[in-house]
Amino acid sequence: MKKCKVIVTGGCGYIGSHTVIELIDQNFEVVIFDDLSNSSEETLERIQSITSVTPIFVNVDLKDAEATDKAISEHADAVAVIHFAAHKAVGESVQKPLMYYKNNFYSLLNILSAQEQHKINTIIFSSSATVYGLPKSFPITEENETQRPFSPYGNTKKVAEEILDDYTKSQPDFSAISLRYFNPIGAHESGLIGELPNGIPNNLMPYITQTAVGIREKLMVYGNDYPTKDGTPIRDYIHVVDLAKAHVISVQRLINKEQEKNFEIFNLGTGNGSSVMDVINSFEKVTNVKLNYEITTRRDGDVPELYAATDLAKEKLNWVAEKSLDEMIDSSWKWEQYFRNKK
Ligand code: WQD
């Protein structure tokens, strides 16, 4: 029986590559669109070594409308598009807003136009909990009003969802699901793929593992004077493989036409909040490595707490995050050690 084809934009990236593996495991045929601006073609070999399948790879700049339309036209038999491709560094987006708005909006608009042209009527969009800005109540449900995020990156995610809302209203036969990630960390159990470092990490987990392997001198803990249990900010860390599985389930929901409305939004989190100190203590326990860190001042734009209500994803996708914080950290550490020691 012919396999269902799924196009994964940004499929050489961190969450994209983990999703590609889960799609292949569920017998989908995968086509990766990626411009390799923040990823490596080496990831294809690692996917092959894990799954024995090499996805079709199209090196394409999705800011180029013509190139995007050509790429989509050559895979117009795809049943869905999962759109990860975007710039995603919060701090960089503050410094270079136009680069972020151009890349993240042109890519989405070109993909949607090409899908309309070639009649691929479903998309899964990679969004972020950052669209909630400074939440007013917890846990955060999908009904929580979105607010002006603190960064141009976050704003591209919020506006992209508004574009999808407008577009699906105009196209009753087109279906979209937006998945709002909380804090993805961890790596595939093989230890062969993970978050590829690209300069000095902004995010907590890669900074911790790079400090532990000696690449960074010490972790700066950005503030312990927040109104939380130990003064450090709380986040909902979720294993990237749990996140990947939710994408496969969402594709199946779209192609089986199980949606009640043609634009749905789901939080992807564990529903549990962990403080920065929780993560540090778990890292030291799991790895038996003493972490060198120093408490310093708050980072601009950080909010005290962000953790998800996960009832809607449980009810509609029948999905719950399964892996614990210790398992997330153990897998991150395994990947860091592999990446630093591979020849
Ligand atoms: C987590 C906590 C920091 C680094 C961002 C984006 C979000 C998504 C995930 C892309 C915070 C603290 C961090 C460090 C620290 N990105 N920290 N020292 O900011 O919750 O979310 O990344 O999709 O959209 O907003 O994640 O890992 O940067 O920070 O103390 O060196 O760790 O203050 O409390 P964040 P993070």
Side-chain angles (χ1 to χ4, degrees):
M1 190 173 97
K2 186 169 174 1
K3 290 183 179 181
C4 288
K5 180 187 282 185
V6 175
I7 295 167
V8 181
T9 75
C12 286
Y14 173 42
I15 301 169
S17 57
H18 284 83
T19 302
V20 166
I21 288 170
E22 297 306 320
L23 284 165
I24 291 170
D25 284 354
Q26 293 302 313
N27 212 29
F28 285 96
E29 181 187 12
V30 175
V31 179
I32 291 176
F33 289 2
D34 206 306
D35 65 2
L36 303 178
S37 61
N38 189 25
S39 56
S40 155
E41 205 165 344
E42 207 182 312
T43 302
L44 295 170
E45 293 153 28
R46 299 212 191 106
I47 290 171
Q48 201 283 333
S49 63
I50 293 169
T51 65
S52 308
V53 171
T54 304
I56 301 165
F57 172 60
V58 181
N59 188 335
V60 55
D61 177 357
L62 299 178
K63 296 193 296 300
D64 179 333
E66 204 176 312
T68 303
D69 187 77
K70 179 176 180 299
I72 288 275
S73 71
E74 289 164 2
H75 297 284
D77 58 330
V79 294
V81 171
I82 305 180
H83 184 49
F84 290 105
H87 290 333
K88 62 155 195 166
V90 172
E92 183 185 50
S93 77
V94 175
Q95 307 305 323
K96 301 175 181 173
L98 289 187
M99 182 178 100
Y100 271 68
Y101 285 122
K102 276 184 185 173
N103 184 68
N104 293 6
F105 289 151
Y106 287 2
S107 300
L108 175 64
L109 293 170
N110 288 337
I111 280 285
L112 290 175
S113 303
Q115 286 191 238
E116 182 175 296
Q117 183 66 27
H118 301 288
K119 312 228 178 312
I120 301 177
N121 293 325
T122 60
I123 190 169
I124 310 273
F125 177 68
S126 168
S127 189
S128 168
T130 198
V131 303
Y132 293 113
L134 184 63
K136 294 195 174 71
S137 61
F138 294 97
I140 304 169
T141 73
E142 291 82 353
E143 304 313 312
N144 270 51
E145 61 175 286
T146 57
Q147 298 173 52
R148 185 79 163 72
F150 292 102
S151 67
Y153 154 76
N155 205 36
T156 69
K157 294 299 183 182
K158 178 176 178 294
V159 172
E161 287 187 345
E162 291 163 0
I163 290 168
L164 287 170
D165 190 33
D166 290 341
Y167 184 65
T168 50
K169 284 191 176 95
S170 75
Q171 304 285 326
D173 295 339
F174 188 90
S175 295
I177 289 178
S178 181
L179 298 174
R180 290 176 177 168
Y181 312 156
F182 279 70
N183 286 63
I185 63 172
H188 189 263
E189 61 188 5
S190 63
L192 298 178
I193 60 166
E195 196 167 1
L196 276 182
N198 189 8
I200 300 173
N202 293 299
N203 293 139
L204 178 66
M205 200 64 237
Y207 208 105
I208 286 177
T209 55
Q210 288 188 20
T211 302
V213 285
I215 291 168
R216 308 289 162 203
E217 195 245 328
K218 67 178 153 184
L219 170 75
M220 303 305 279
V221 175
Y222 297 138
N224 66 349
D225 57 349
Y226 285 92
T228 62
K229 62 181 180 179
D230 58 24
T232 62
I234 288 174
R235 294 290 182 274
D236 187 333
Y237 298 95
I238 177 169
H239 198 293
V240 65
V241 172
D242 279 332
L243 208 60
K245 289 179 175 174
H247 288 73
V248 180
I249 292 170
S250 297
V251 166
Q252 288 159 339
R253 180 175 175 81
L254 289 178
I255 60 182
N256 297 336
K257 302 192 184 311
E258 293 165 1
Q259 284 190 300
E260 284 116 41
K261 50 190 180 12
N262 67 336
F263 182 40
E264 293 178 315
I265 294 173
F266 297 104
N267 284 339
L268 295 186
T270 65
N272 305 313
S274 301
S275 70
V276 174
M277 287 315 300
D278 287 334
V279 176
I280 291 171
N281 294 334
S282 171
F283 181 82
E284 293 186 335
K285 177 187 72 175
V286 163
T287 63
N288 213 16
V289 170
K290 185 89 184 78
L291 190 69
N292 185 20
Y293 67 90
E294 178 188 323
I295 307 289
T296 181
T297 51
R298 294 184 176 190
R299 178 174 69 175
D300 283 351
D302 277 344
V303 298
E305 281 188 281
L306 266 180
Y307 61 93
T310 57
D311 312 89
L312 196 61
K314 170 71 182 125
E315 182 197 340
K316 304 293 185 190
L317 302 178
N318 192 28
W319 169 91
V320 285
E322 294 168 351
K323 294 179 184 293
S324 67
L325 183 65
D326 287 355
E327 287 171 299
M328 296 176 210
I329 288 170
D330 186 48
S331 64
S332 290
W333 181 231
K334 194 172 163 188
W335 158 248
E336 182 69 62
Q337 291 179 297
Y338 162 80
F339 186 78
R340 300 302 165 192
N341 299 326
K342 68 182 177 53
K343 294 294 168 266

